Amino acid sequence: VAEGSTPRMVGPAQNLEAKPPTFAASVRKGDVPKEYTLKRYYTSADIAKHNSSHDCWVSYFGRVYDLTPLLAEYEGPLAQPIIDAAGSDISHWFNESDGQPKTHIDPATGLEEIYCPWGRYIHVPPQGPESNWATNFETPWWEDTRYYIGRATKRTRKVTMVNLLTKQKNTLEVPVEETVAEIRERYMVHNAHAGSYTWKRLGKVLNMEKNLEENGMKDETEEFIRLGIDPDDHIPVIHLYFDDDLTEA
């Protein structure tokens, strides 16, 4: 990219708005997956769950994209490399400087072409003329912001929730950036009435709009590892006190 010019792909400094995936009218209802609630941040484990042609998430350069609509609207063999990469990070497919696919010189032709040893994928032009090469797309998918659903966490940490009413204990691995309220959303799969509890740490009520570190729970994982201590032996614990109010499901 020339100095002073703006790369076509959304750069790291630009704020993207995450939106639920939208599907073309031509996609059969049965091929549209169940709707889900967007998160601000996703862990690699969150992304890894979406690893099929009918439910395909990928990440690159710290952002997460749901490519399920792309695969639902496309028919042909060029989908396979994307399907094979579903649930993983594909930053190595692109140049970090401009977000465009990496290129190389084809030793057979001496021509520059997009480098894809895992196989040519959707919107990558063929080496030579092809009658079935469709050029009717406006934006290649790696530049299309409609697939963006949130950011990939820079780091995760573990936290344990202890329900003092039921004595149930659950340990979650969460993005360090998430607020306690967002962690509570993750915890809902273990306790649908989590909103009817007061969350405390060492007897102090937590600020639900702040993250764990801002609530005094310093992430000491790296320090423990440096000292040869297993971080899993020192996971911070949050106690949940029942509020006797089941109006919040």
Side-chain angles (χ1 to χ4, degrees):
V1 179
E3 188 176 347
S5 66
T6 304
R8 287 185 298 162
M9 184 189 172
V10 178
Q14 186 171 341
N15 289 324
L16 281 178
E17 183 184 354
K19 295 178 181 177
T22 55
F23 290 79
S26 59
V27 177
R28 292 190 309 115
K29 283 282 191 287
D31 290 335
V32 176
K34 184 180 175 184
E35 289 185 16
Y36 54 87
T37 303
L38 295 177
K39 292 182 171 68
R40 284 192 311 136
Y41 291 92
Y42 299 95
T43 67
S44 56
D46 291 333
I47 299 163
K49 295 172 186 173
H50 304 271
N51 57 5
S52 73
S53 60
H54 296 288
D55 184 11
C56 173
W57 290 15
V58 296
S59 62
Y60 46 97
F61 302 132
R63 293 195 171 106
V64 183
Y65 298 84
D66 185 346
L67 299 183
T68 313
L70 173 73
L71 297 177
E73 295 160 21
Y74 176 83
E75 292 181 8
L78 301 188
Q80 197 57 49
I82 296 173
I83 295 169
D84 292 342
S88 70
D89 186 86
I90 58 171
S91 299
H92 58 287
W93 290 21
F94 307 100
N95 294 311
E96 191 167 4
S97 58
D98 62 2
Q100 294 302 307
K102 288 181 177 177
T103 59
H104 76 137
I105 302 298
D106 185 318
T109 65
L111 300 174
E112 185 180 42
E113 63 175 20
I114 289 177
Y115 181 65
C116 36
W118 38 85
R120 187 174 143 227
Y121 50 87
I122 298 172
H123 298 162
V124 171
Q127 283 182 304
E130 272 189 22
S131 58
N132 62 349
W133 165 238
T135 56
N136 58 348
F137 58 89
E138 293 183 8
T139 308
W141 61 263
W142 54 85
E143 292 179 19
D144 198 332
T145 58
R146 76 184 177 106
Y147 301 120
Y148 173 72
I149 57 170
R151 298 193 68 87
T153 181
K154 63 181 180 181
R155 196 171 74 252
T156 60
R157 61 179 300 185
K158 292 180 179 178
V159 60
T160 297
M161 271 65 69
V162 176
N163 184 330
L164 294 181
L165 180 67
T166 65
K167 309 305 179 192
Q168 182 182 6
K169 179 189 287 189
N170 299 97
T171 298
L172 301 182
E173 189 166 2
V174 302
V176 293
E177 304 92 344
E178 280 194 335
T179 65
V180 179
E182 289 170 323
I183 293 171
R184 181 174 62 186
E185 287 298 312
R186 290 180 178 271
Y187 175 70
M188 286 284 194
V189 298
H190 302 289
N191 182 353
H193 298 289
S196 297
Y197 287 75
T198 296
W199 289 45
K200 295 183 179 181
R201 164 73 173 164
L202 302 177
K204 182 182 176 183
V205 176
L206 298 178
N207 184 328
M208 304 300 283
E209 302 310 313
K210 292 185 176 181
N211 63 33
L212 297 178
E213 184 119 6
E214 291 166 341
N215 271 290
M217 282 172 268
K218 186 181 176 187
D219 183 8
E220 298 178 303
T221 303
E222 291 181 2
E223 180 68 8
F224 285 135
I225 292 172
R226 188 181 68 82
L227 295 172
I229 300 171
D230 186 352
D232 286 354
D233 291 337
H234 299 273
I235 299 171
V237 175
I238 295 174
H239 291 108
L240 277 57
Y241 293 79
F242 185 53
D243 292 337
D244 198 24
D245 175 15
L246 288 179
T247 54
E248 285 192 61

